[in-house]
Amino acid sequence: MNNLITLNNGVTIPSVGFGVFQSAPAETAAAVETALKAGYRHIDTAAGYGNEREVGDGIRRSGIDPAEVVIETKVWVSDYGFDETLHAFDKSATKLGVSRIDVLILHQPMPQHFARTVQAYHALERLLEDGQVGAIGVSNFMPHHLAALREQTQIVPAINQVELHPYFTQTAVQKADAELGIVTQAWSPIGGITFYPGWGENRKSVMDDETIAGIAAGHGKTPAQVMLRWHLQQGRSVIPKSTNPERIAQNIDLFDFELTTAELTAIDRLDRGVRGGPDPDEVDPSTWNVEIPEAETPTSTTKGS
Ligand code: NAP
């Protein structure tokens, strides 16, 4: 089971989605199939992850009606610009095997080329108006990026997907999102960025945090479940990633316990104010030079046709 979150345009998405960043293409279809069979109905991918085609394969392999599954994907910065972003939609839709994308968001602000970021968002607005996407949004937008975007665009983003876990709670972003009616969607919701293998030395994994371990023991739950429950009780959307069937099931088994106000506050107090991911003010195609390949061969359409 899964609760629903209503976005600012009335579209609903499950509060617990399934992430596939760093899921190797060879593993992604199986992970998506496992997730859908475990009850997830929302998959978060990105053009930049190189696995949109396998996400579509996993949905088809699950046997679950694709119309029941919310697909969220992201436009990479190298595809920003009005026409370029319209083409990015075509590439992603073809790889996913759909004619309509439920949620399409900009992966990063591109502060050094903000005019192109705005043009990309204008393309999202056009796609929304044309009914080719169900909701639009952004990712890694800080309050000053949101303010600049709002001055130059019509439609308020439905979602802002940002790094958010007990060691980095981004209260200013959450406040700015709430004031604008934007759902805050937590990436690395169980702190994956604090323990990704090979992503830097001397990090403390939030998964090993003593406070979280104590709360988890008290509820007979795991640290991951406690962190996910903390997000849900504070109104955030979450998209935990796993390729392990047991952990995939565990990360959606969140609806038979409740954290107390004191427990929520204890987790809030763990914030260190230090981001694990890239600084959103530094992202630029010259430093993040990933070209998104053309879709080449279309796969069969799974929905919206
Ligand atoms: P995460 O979901 O917080 O953590 C994933 C890590 O935790 C993986 O190493 C996974 O390993 C492990 N794990 C999963 N469930 C577990 C459990 N129950 N107990 C212990 N370990 C567990 O981190 P994330 O992948 O960074 O974030 C989730 C999603 O957010 C991504 O997949 C992607 O969709 C999105 N994201 C977006 C951005 C952005 O810039 N917009 C950036 C990063 C991520 P196993 O697979 O081995 O279980």
Side-chain angles (χ1 to χ4, degrees), residues 147-225:
L149 187 78
R150 287 298 304 128
E151 280 174 14
Q152 300 172 70
T153 58
Q154 294 297 317
I155 300 173
V156 179
I159 286 176
N160 186 15
Q161 184 183 119
V162 294
E163 177 183 346
L164 212 163
H165 47 76
Y167 285 173
F168 191 51
T169 61
Q170 303 232 54
T171 49
V173 174
Q174 293 196 60
K175 184 165 175 284
D177 287 348
E179 284 170 1
L180 289 166
I182 299 171
V183 167
T184 301
Q185 186 169 61
W187 68 253
S188 272
I190 54 174
I193 190 123
T194 69
F195 59 90
Y196 291 158
W199 276 59
E201 303 302 315
N202 304 321
R203 292 168 303 164
K204 170 153 177 166
S205 165
V206 70
M207 206 54 87
D208 298 332
D209 186 87
E210 298 78 9
T211 300
I212 294 172
I215 295 171
H219 289 277
K221 292 285 176 182
T222 67
Q225 289 171 314

Side-chain angles (χ1 to χ4, degrees), residues 125 127 135 206:
E125 292 180 317
L127 290 162
V206 70

Side-chain angles (χ1 to χ4, degrees), residues 25-305:
E27 291 177 320
T28 302
V32 167
E33 182 182 3
T34 303
L36 292 172
K37 287 180 173 164
Y40 294 79
R41 290 292 181 271
H42 173 196
I43 313 291
D44 177 72
T45 182
Y49 298 169
N51 57 14
E52 287 173 311
R53 203 178 292 279
E54 291 75 13
V55 166
D57 289 344
I59 295 171
R60 284 184 286 278
R61 273 165 47 171
S62 74
I64 286 159
D65 180 356
E68 286 181 26
V69 183
V70 173
I71 300 178
E72 179 169 352
T73 193
K74 315 182 189 82
V75 181
W76 186 242
V77 293
S78 50
D79 281 337
Y80 284 8
F82 188 79
D83 291 337
E84 294 87 340
T85 299
L86 292 180
H87 184 56
F89 164 85
D90 290 334
K91 289 195 283 189
S92 287
T94 304
K95 291 175 190 170
L96 289 159
V98 300
S99 55
R100 183 177 183 275
I101 292 175
D102 301 292
V103 183
L104 187 62
I105 66 177
L106 300 185
H107 205 141
Q108 301 274 356
M110 196 166 46
Q112 286 78 8
H113 303 278
F114 204 70
R116 265 177 66 199
T117 308
V118 171
Q119 287 164 1
Y121 194 82
H122 283 315
L124 298 192
E125 292 180 317
R126 168 71 62 82
L127 290 162
L128 184 69
E129 282 159 9
D130 289 351
Q132 289 173 282
V133 302
I136 61 175
V138 295
S139 175
N140 299 307
F141 272 51
M142 300 297 100
H144 59 289
H145 304 129
L146 288 173
L149 187 78
R150 287 298 304 128
E151 280 174 14
Q152 300 172 70
T153 58
Q154 294 297 317
I155 300 173
V156 179
I159 286 176
N160 186 15
Q161 184 183 119
V162 294
E163 177 183 346
L164 212 163
H165 47 76
Y167 285 173
F168 191 51
T169 61
Q170 303 232 54
T171 49
V173 174
Q174 293 196 60
K175 184 165 175 284
D177 287 348
E179 284 170 1
L180 289 166
I182 299 171
V183 167
T184 301
Q185 186 169 61
W187 68 253
S188 272
I190 54 174
I193 190 123
T194 69
F195 59 90
Y196 291 158
W199 276 59
E201 303 302 315
N202 304 321
R203 292 168 303 164
K204 170 153 177 166
S205 165
V206 70
M207 206 54 87
D208 298 332
D209 186 87
E210 298 78 9
T211 300
I212 294 172
I215 295 171
H219 289 277
K221 292 285 176 182
T222 67
Q225 289 171 314
V226 164
M227 285 187 258
L228 293 168
R229 187 74 211 181
W230 165 74
H231 287 292
L232 296 186
Q233 287 185 223
Q234 295 187 342
R236 292 183 290 276
S237 157
V238 292
I239 44 170
K241 172 265 174 187
S242 181
T243 49
N244 173 289
E246 211 170 285
R247 293 194 282 275
I248 289 172
Q250 186 192 115
N251 293 346
I252 200 170
D253 178 18
L254 307 172
F255 299 98
D256 60 352
F257 75 111
E258 189 160 344
L259 301 175
T260 65
T261 304
E263 288 169 333
L264 295 172
T265 305
I267 299 172
D268 287 339
R269 288 200 180 120
L270 299 175
D271 182 36
R272 299 166 164 211
V274 178
R275 80 172 65 248
D279 181 341
D281 276 318
E282 302 291 321
V283 173
D284 189 88
S286 58
T287 47
W288 291 75
N289 194 13
V290 180
E291 283 300 316
I292 304 302
E294 294 298 323
E296 294 155 3
T297 48
T299 46
S300 62
T301 297
T302 56
K303 74 170 157 182
S305 55

